[in-house]
Amino acid sequence: MNIVPFNKNQNLCLVGPVKLPVKQGDFEATFKWYTWLKIDGKLTKEEVLDLIANANLADQQQSSVLVYGDFEAAEDAIIRMHSICHTGDIFGSMRCDCGYQLHQSMKMIKEHGHGAIFYLANHEGRGIGLFSKSLAYLLQEEGFDTVEANEALGFEDDTRSYEEALRILESLRQKPVTLITNNPKKLQALKSHGLIAKEHIPLWGGMTETNRYYLNTKILKSGHIPDPKMTL
């Protein structure tokens, strides 16, 4: 356990690394797994251990990071800030490209040799939650696009925050990183912390007839960086 300073009133309790062998089809790799919990800034490690049995953590979400290679010292490391997507990552939904992006990022990081995947809790549906996301999906079946559906439910298009993940990143690595993303908001978040390399790595793919409209909306309305080689 390591206490990472976060803000004036709160810290992040980081646990790990835990050796985590992973197998997905033909892909195999062993990652170093960390997870973290936001805690009262006055708590010590011992006090955190005393509290967790009654903290109902199973009713909450916690974020993780999977680290590969010599992430701390390598001159060139790549990362992905991946928002939890219950339907895409777990069920294999073809309504989005999230599952494809998660598993492809893991392969890219292993091939590169050094990197990390931040798997971010409380980001479901761009920050609206799983229950609200199900309602947004029903609106999409009525003809709304992703942005319109979220706004119809009273949400902004994207309410996600990357501050906790960035603080954990700073605690694990001081050198710049290259971000796997199509999202300029993620790029800007890293730039504001001075942690980003000059370029990003695009990750388009996994397109089907059921998610083509969704991917197109991300470019046209959410400002995602298009891939000139990809036809939407």
Side-chain angles (χ1 to χ4, degrees), residues 2-17:
N2 185 31
I3 303 298
V4 179
F6 182 53
N7 59 36
K8 184 171 66 174
N9 299 313
Q10 297 171 309
N11 290 328
L12 303 174
C13 185
L14 179 67
V15 175

Side-chain angles (χ1 to χ4, degrees), residues 22-205:
V22 171
K23 181 174 175 56
Q24 299 166 352
D26 295 332
F27 172 76
E28 291 187 56
T30 298
F31 290 90
K32 289 173 283 187
W33 172 45
Y34 298 80
T35 187
W36 69 87
L37 181 69
K38 189 157 56 177
I39 61 172
D40 187 297
K42 298 178 182 178
L43 291 177
T44 65
K45 296 179 186 179
E46 292 74 17
E47 289 170 329
V48 172
L49 288 174
D50 289 339
L51 290 172
I52 57 173
N54 298 310
N56 295 319
L57 296 183
D59 291 338
Q60 306 170 31
Q61 290 185 349
Q62 289 90 50
S63 295
S64 291
V65 55
L66 296 176
V67 171
Y68 190 82
D70 189 356
F71 186 63
E72 180 180 3
E75 289 300 320
D76 184 19
I78 62 177
I79 70 166
R80 165 122 182 118
M81 293 284 182
H82 189 88
S83 297
I84 181 174
C85 178
H86 196 102
T87 51
D89 299 338
I90 300 172
F91 296 153
S93 167
M94 302 302 287
R95 294 186 65 140
C96 63
D97 60 341
C98 301
Y100 167 83
Q101 289 186 319
L102 173 63
H103 300 304
Q104 187 65 21
S105 295
M106 295 172 78
K107 294 176 183 177
M108 292 166 66
I109 286 170
K110 180 183 179 182
E111 291 172 0
H112 184 76
H114 309 284
I117 297 177
F118 288 79
Y119 195 74
L120 303 179
N122 303 316
H123 276 203
E124 188 82 53
R126 300 181 188 172
I128 69 174
L130 187 61
F131 185 82
S132 300
K133 179 181 174 180
S134 68
L135 296 174
Y137 271 5
L138 289 175
L139 289 175
Q140 290 172 41
E141 291 179 1
E142 298 297 323
F144 290 67
D145 64 34
T146 311
V147 175
E148 292 168 344
N150 284 14
E151 291 177 344
L153 292 171
F155 298 102
E156 297 179 11
D157 171 38
D158 193 337
T159 64
R160 293 172 292 182
S161 170
Y162 302 95
E163 290 304 308
E164 287 186 28
L166 290 169
R167 187 65 196 93
I168 295 298
L169 172 58
E170 289 174 323
S171 75
L172 296 175
R173 178 180 171 87
Q174 296 298 311
K175 297 180 180 181
V177 294
T178 300
L179 183 64
I180 303 170
T181 191
N182 306 318
N183 189 344
K185 292 180 181 178
K186 292 183 183 179
L187 286 169
Q188 187 55 47
L190 263 73
K191 286 180 180 178
S192 68
H193 283 251
L195 291 167
I196 195 165
K198 292 182 180 180
E199 299 179 358
H200 73 285
I201 301 173
L203 184 55
W204 289 105

